[in-house]
Amino acid sequence: MMKPIQLVLLSGSDCPLCDTMKEALKHFKSPLPFQVREVDISEHPTLQERYWDRIPYLFVAGRPVAKGCLQTSKLQLALVAAKAGL
């Protein structure tokens, strides 16, 4: 069985865009296994300083894929690329 592809969602509290992206990720379906780890930037001063004006920010296998809103077609391509090691 393939190891799940790691997605990291940088988010914050009181962030409606973050809530929308989290909801979209809950409903996103892919034939490739993936796992989402959410990181609240308010708990990480370095991340907060760097990303406060860009959240939500989604990374797939360490590469940025979405900022602000999620395009599922772009996410699917990123998952395929991550599986292929690109």
Side-chain angles (χ1 to χ4, degrees), residues 40-53 55:
D40 184 340
I41 65 167
S42 66
E43 298 172 6
H44 304 274
T46 303
L47 292 175
Q48 187 170 11
E49 183 179 313
R50 185 170 180 185
Y51 293 103
W52 71 270
D53 62 341
I55 59 171

Side-chain angles (χ1 to χ4, degrees), residues 10-58:
L10 299 183
S11 66
S13 56
D14 271 345
C15 174
L17 285 175
C18 298
D19 294 339
T20 300
M21 190 176 290
K22 285 186 251 183
E23 193 64 26
L25 285 168
K26 277 185 200 175
H27 298 288
F28 177 73
K29 303 290 185 220
S30 173
L32 300 173
F34 66 93
Q35 181 177 4
V36 180
R37 181 172 65 96
E38 183 180 351
V39 176
D40 184 340
I41 65 167
S42 66
E43 298 172 6
H44 304 274
T46 303
L47 292 175
Q48 187 170 11
E49 183 179 313
R50 185 170 180 185
Y51 293 103
W52 71 270
D53 62 341
R54 297 187 228 174
I55 59 171
Y57 211 119
L58 181 66

